[in-house]
Amino acid sequence: MTISLQCPICSQALTQYQTSRDLHCSNKHTFAFAAQDGEQGYWVFGRQKKVQSLSRAQMRARMFLLASGVVTPLVDAIAGQLNDYFAAAEQLNWLDYECGDGFYLKALTAAIHHPQLQRYGFDEAENALFAAAKAGHANWLGQSSSKRLPFADQQFDLLTVIDKPLKGKEYLRVLKTDGLAVLVLPGPRHLWQLREQIYPGLTEKPFAHNLPKALQVETISEITWQSAVSGEQALTLLEMTPYAWRANDKLKASIAANDIVALELDYRLVIAKRAE
């Protein structure tokens, strides 16, 4: 373990029991290790009863879709930037924010060329972490709310937030001064051919990142490409977005039944440095 953990309840340092992998603090708050096969697993810092997680079928569909290579241009662009930034770093502590099933932990680990890359991930969804732990592509995983992370202050050189909203400011506490936050945000035309089926009269709006002042933007890159997807793949992509709930069953059936020859994928890769 190359980072310091702290209790998300009382902020005291966490240590590991000698007889198990469970963690505890001086105030006797205890956090269990949910073991998978062998040494794999994740620590549980509180199960979130209200978390909206993908179903098992949706999770499997997402994993197959991402593994198909549909987001390879995105992975390559992120890795290229990070290899340039961290080429001279002695050690690189990386936190993948809400890592889900660990796809980007795996994909970027293979693409980032750093001998001392330490990979950490957290998520609220138990089924996602189960898949991430089984894949074994992280040094450390935890089931945790983004509101109270189980890490001491300024532990990470790199924070990635990939295709998901950034919530609150807890992430700033655990990012080192001058550490990098790498955010992948949807661009104006992202999944346009899907969105126009949901929003009649859809119009293109300018991109805005809305980052806090504590993060100073270094670069913003456009990553755009088109992909031929089946109707089922298009539906899976839709289920991965925050506006999926706007599509009723009839529309979802229509999307699943029709291939899209040139679906637009449009991202903005924002690299920002913590200034304070």
Side-chain angles (χ1 to χ4, degrees):
M1 183 87 57
T2 61
I3 63 168
S4 297
L5 299 174
Q6 75 175 30
C7 177
I9 300 173
C10 66
S11 300
Q12 296 299 304
L14 288 174
T15 56
Q16 191 168 301
Y17 283 113
Q18 293 182 352
T19 56
S20 72
R21 300 186 69 180
D22 296 352
L23 299 168
H24 67 99
C25 70
S26 59
N27 289 326
K28 298 183 179 180
H29 298 125
T30 301
F31 306 97
F33 182 74
Q36 308 297 334
D37 297 334
E39 294 294 311
Q40 305 300 332
Y42 56 90
W43 282 269
V44 179
F45 295 94
R47 290 185 166 88
Q48 310 301 312
K49 295 181 179 179
K50 296 182 179 180
V51 65
Q52 295 295 317
S53 176
L54 297 175
S55 68
R56 183 176 298 181
Q58 289 172 327
M59 180 79 65
R60 189 181 300 111
R62 178 186 184 277
M63 292 171 68
F64 281 132
L65 175 64
L66 294 178
S68 73
V70 69
V71 293
T72 295
L74 177 60
V75 171
D76 291 345
I78 298 171
Q81 293 271 20
L82 295 184
N83 283 323
D84 290 340
Y85 269 98
F86 293 107
E90 293 183 3
Q91 184 166 303
L92 179 55
N93 290 337
W94 163 33
L95 176 64
D96 192 20
Y97 181 98
E98 294 189 350
C99 65
D101 58 26
F103 170 80
Y104 287 104
L105 281 168
K106 174 183 177 182
L108 289 174
T109 293
I112 296 173
H113 309 302
H114 196 288
Q116 296 297 323
L117 178 65
Q118 301 296 314
R119 301 150 296 158
Y120 299 80
F122 80 92
D123 205 283
E124 296 187 42
E126 186 173 9
N127 60 346
L129 281 172
F130 182 90
K134 188 174 181 180
H137 296 292
N139 297 95
W140 186 99
L141 291 169
Q143 185 179 13
S144 170
S145 166
S146 59
K147 296 178 181 179
R148 293 282 301 204
L149 295 174
F151 309 113
D153 295 353
Q154 299 206 26
Q155 294 296 301
F156 294 100
D157 307 286
L158 170 65
L159 171 79
T160 54
V161 188
I162 302 176
D163 201 12
K164 57 179 61 67
L166 189 58
K167 307 168 188 174
K169 294 185 178 181
E170 177 73 347
Y171 64 92
L172 285 173
R173 182 183 64 78
V174 303
L175 184 64
K176 293 179 181 179
T177 300
D178 291 332
L180 286 187
V182 175
L183 301 96
V184 175
L185 304 171
R189 293 196 61 87
H190 186 55
L191 303 181
W192 187 267
Q193 290 73 20
L194 282 174
R195 289 163 52 210
E196 65 182 355
Q197 298 182 57
I198 299 172
Y199 303 101
L202 181 66
T203 57
E204 188 173 328
K205 297 179 180 179
F207 171 76
H209 54 68
N210 299 320
L211 294 183
K213 293 181 180 179
L215 287 179
Q216 294 184 348
V217 175
E218 299 262 296
T219 62
I220 300 178
S221 306
E222 295 185 11
I223 307 170
T224 62
W225 72 100
Q226 295 182 346
S227 181
V229 296
S230 69
E232 290 294 340
Q233 289 177 320
L235 184 59
T236 298
L237 284 167
L238 174 63
E239 296 289 358
M240 293 162 56
T241 70
Y243 45 85
W245 65 274
R246 289 184 172 272
N248 57 32
D249 290 342
K250 182 178 180 181
L251 179 54
K252 288 181 179 180
S254 176
I255 291 172
N258 294 281
D259 298 347
I260 300 178
V261 175
L263 177 65
E264 293 179 72
L265 291 101
D266 178 21
Y267 289 103
R268 297 297 178 271
L269 175 58
V270 181
I271 296 183
K273 182 177 291 186
R274 180 183 164 178
E276 59 181 49

